[in-house]
Amino acid sequence: MTSRTIAIGDVHGCSQALRALVDAIQPTTDDTLIFLGDYVDRGPDTRGVLDFILELEQRCRVVPLLGNHELMLLEVNENPLMIDSWLTVGGAATVKSYDGQLANIPPEHWDFIRRCREYHETQTHFFVHANYASSMRLDSQHDYLRYWEHLHVNMPPPHQNGKIAIVGHTAQKSGEVLDLGHVICLDTNCYGGAWLTAMDIANGQLWQADRHGSLRS
C-alpha cells in the first residue's frame, strides 16, 4: 500500500470523534498523520485525546503542530494568574478531564505539548495552525499569525513558495471544509456540534466524525 499523508483538524477534546476517524482511516506504519493543533480545551476529554495520540505514535508517524490552546495551557502552567481567562475559553473542560486538577496532567502530556511543532512542510503543502504571511518564509512567521489570526479576519493570498496551505483554527460552523485552492481549512467545529475532519493530502479524500464518534455517511 502506498504511504499516505493525512491531516486532521482541531480535535478540542473530542476523543470519541478522533478514535472513530482513526478506526476508519486504519493508518499503517507507512502513513503520516499531521495534527493541526488545539488538542485541548472545550470538548469533554482532553486527557483521552492526548493519551490516544501518544498511542498513535506507536502505530504510524505522527506530526503534531502547536495550537493557540496549547500555548494558553503552557502559559497557565508558568503563570497561574492567567487561569481565569483561560477557563472561560475552554480551559474548564480540560481541568475537568483531569479530575479537576491541573496537577494531574501527567509528564508525558506536558512533554507532548512542548514538542509540538510550529509548522510542517512537504513537497506540495505546508501545515500551520491558524494563518500565515504569504511573503515571509515559513520559519520566520510571526507567532500571532501562526496561532491566532482567523481566516475571516485576514485571508492570505497564496504563499510565495507555491505550496497549498492546510490550516485549522477558523471554525467552519457549517461543518464543511473550506477549500479555496491555495488554502484549505480543516477546523469543522467538532466540539460545537459539527465534525472532526481528516483529509488525505494526495487525493482529497475526507473522513468526518461527530463528537459522539459517529461517522458522517
Side-chain angles (χ1 to χ4, degrees):
M1 180 182 293
T2 304
S3 62
R4 298 174 294 174
T5 298
I6 295 167
I8 298 176
D10 304 35
V11 183
H12 275 308
C14 296
S15 62
Q16 293 183 65
L18 179 58
R19 287 180 178 274
L21 285 189
V22 171
D23 284 346
I25 294 167
Q26 288 294 302
T28 71
T29 55
D30 294 326
D31 294 330
T32 299
L33 299 184
I34 301 171
F35 286 87
L36 297 175
D38 280 5
Y39 317 94
V40 308
D41 296 353
R42 292 182 168 160
D45 192 19
T46 286
R47 183 172 199 157
V49 167
L50 296 184
D51 279 339
F52 187 56
I53 294 176
L54 291 173
E55 292 175 24
L56 278 175
E57 291 186 320
Q58 309 305 311
R59 295 174 52 182
C60 61
R61 184 185 183 214
V62 172
V63 178
L65 301 189
L66 187 66
N68 63 303
H69 281 263
E70 286 75 55
L71 279 177
M72 287 189 282
L73 179 54
L74 290 170
E75 289 172 354
V76 166
N77 188 50
E78 294 295 324
N79 181 7
L81 293 177
M82 301 193 58
I83 193 167
D84 287 343
S85 59
W86 171 66
L87 291 174
T88 64
V89 293
T94 293
V95 174
K96 186 176 181 180
S97 79
Y98 290 100
D99 300 321
Q101 296 289 334
L102 286 183
N104 292 334
I105 298 179
E108 58 268 26
H109 288 193
W110 287 118
D111 291 343
F112 171 81
I113 292 171
R114 291 189 178 105
R115 62 183 166 84
C116 286
R117 305 184 185 189
E118 295 176 340
Y119 70 96
H120 181 66
E121 190 173 7
T122 68
Q123 290 185 338
T124 55
H125 295 73
F126 69 94
F127 307 79
V128 67
H129 176 63
N131 211 320
Y132 61 91
S134 62
S135 60
M136 297 182 67
R137 288 164 42 118
L138 295 179
D139 60 1
S140 301
Q141 299 280 318
H142 298 303
D143 283 353
Y144 184 79
L145 285 173
R146 279 190 179 131
Y147 304 119
W148 296 96
E149 183 80 273
H150 288 96
L151 293 178
H152 59 257
V153 174
N154 173 31
M155 180 60 70
H159 195 272
Q160 63 182 6
N161 64 17
K163 298 179 180 182
I164 297 170
I166 309 293
V167 305
H169 186 62
T170 303
Q172 304 300 304
K173 302 298 177 62
S174 66
E176 304 300 330
V177 170
L178 176 66
D179 185 349
L180 299 179
H182 69 286
V183 59
I184 298 171
C185 180
L186 297 184
D187 182 354
T188 45
N189 200 37
C190 185
Y191 79 91
W195 307 100
L196 179 64
T197 295
M199 185 179 76
D200 188 320
I201 299 305
N203 59 25
Q205 180 180 356
L206 296 177
W207 298 265
Q208 291 187 305
D210 67 19
R211 60 189 176 184
H212 306 294
S214 298
L215 290 172
R216 187 175 188 178
S217 57

